[in-house]
Structures are given as structure tokens and as C-alpha cells.
Amino acid sequence: MAVQRPWITPEDVKEYTDQKDVQERSEAKLKYDIIRAEQRVINITHNRFDGDNYTELPDPVRMALILLAEAYAKNTVEGTRKQIKSETFDDYSYTAEAATIDFDTLDLEELLADYIIPVGTGRVVMNLRKL
């Protein structure tokens, strides 16, 4: 039997994360973040994990989904807040940058490398020579 979607639950994300914003996010919104994470994994791997080879989701794929869903949730919450870039008071100044998660730092390629299905170009190259 193939793996059924959604592959992870909002509880999985809340259990993993240390981000207070993500833990307080509603389950309905986390479900949308999970859908986005699933679509991104499918796009990266070209694999829907729906064949007979997958009776359960592999742990690295599950971890990638949790990391992505957490990142989507955190970035959405941070995107709605106004961030002060810098402020100066007499001889004191500080800079606060957005605390969004960069997807490149999640190491998704390493987690998903074993599950990527190569996609052909859809073209056939034929070399002909004279006999």
C-alpha cells in the first residue's frame, strides 16, 4: 500500500520546532505549510512516494518535510511583522534583521539525494553514419 498524504501532521512540526511562533501557529495554517513542503519535496525529487516500493515514508524525506514546513511557517509569520532594520539613540545604535529561514541552509539535497528520480529531457539523440 502506498504512503497516504499528508505525509506529516501539524503535531510533528510542533513537536520538532523550538520556534515559539511556529508552536503557536494554528493547525489549519500548519496544514497549508505542510502542503507547500510536500509540493517542494515532490518538485525536488520528481517522486510522489506513491508506488508499491513505499509502504511508509523514509525518515530523511520525513525530516526534510518537517524542516520545510517549519521554515514556511516561520517565514510567513516573520513576513507579517514589521522589522526595524536599524535605530540610533545618541551614542547607542542597534540593527535587527529579519529572522527568516533561508531554504538553502536546510540541506535538503543531502536529505533527499537517495530519492531523486532523474527526469529525461524527452529528446532522443541519434547518431547516423555511412556504412
Side-chain angles (χ1 to χ4, degrees):
M1 184 168 154
V3 180
Q4 297 296 315
R5 289 175 72 181
W7 295 330
I8 61 172
T9 63
E11 292 80 29
D12 294 330
V13 178
K14 287 182 178 184
E15 182 180 310
Y16 171 78
T17 190
D18 291 329
Q19 304 287 335
K20 186 177 179 187
D21 297 335
V22 176
Q23 290 174 343
E24 294 174 351
R25 193 161 167 84
S26 72
E27 286 199 18
K29 290 183 180 181
L30 276 174
K31 285 180 182 179
Y32 289 118
D33 297 325
I34 290 168
I35 291 169
R36 291 174 70 190
E38 288 177 352
Q39 288 302 95
R40 186 161 184 143
V41 166
I42 290 170
N43 189 34
I44 291 171
T45 62
H46 309 291
N47 190 347
R48 293 187 172 275
F49 301 96
D50 57 359
D52 292 334
N53 297 336
Y54 298 103
T55 56
E56 65 180 43
L57 199 65
D59 287 337
V61 176
R62 184 176 171 76
M63 187 70 237
L65 285 167
I66 291 171
L67 288 172
L68 273 170
E70 177 193 28
Y72 278 127
K74 176 70 175 167
N75 290 350
T76 301
V77 170
E78 288 297 324
T80 59
R81 292 186 185 153
K82 284 192 166 187
Q83 296 290 326
I84 298 173
K85 294 293 180 191
S86 66
E87 195 166 353
T88 305
F89 301 104
D90 295 331
D91 60 343
Y92 175 76
S93 68
Y94 71 93
T95 301
E97 291 186 23
T100 58
I101 299 173
D102 183 18
F103 292 110
D104 293 335
T105 63
L106 297 178
D107 297 328
L108 296 176
E109 290 77 21
E110 287 81 6
L111 286 169
L112 300 173
D114 292 339
Y115 307 100
I116 295 175
I117 297 173
V119 177
T121 60
R123 297 172 54 186
V124 175
V125 177
M126 252 169 66
N127 293 323
L128 300 175
R129 62 185 172 101
K130 196 179 205 181
L131 294 177

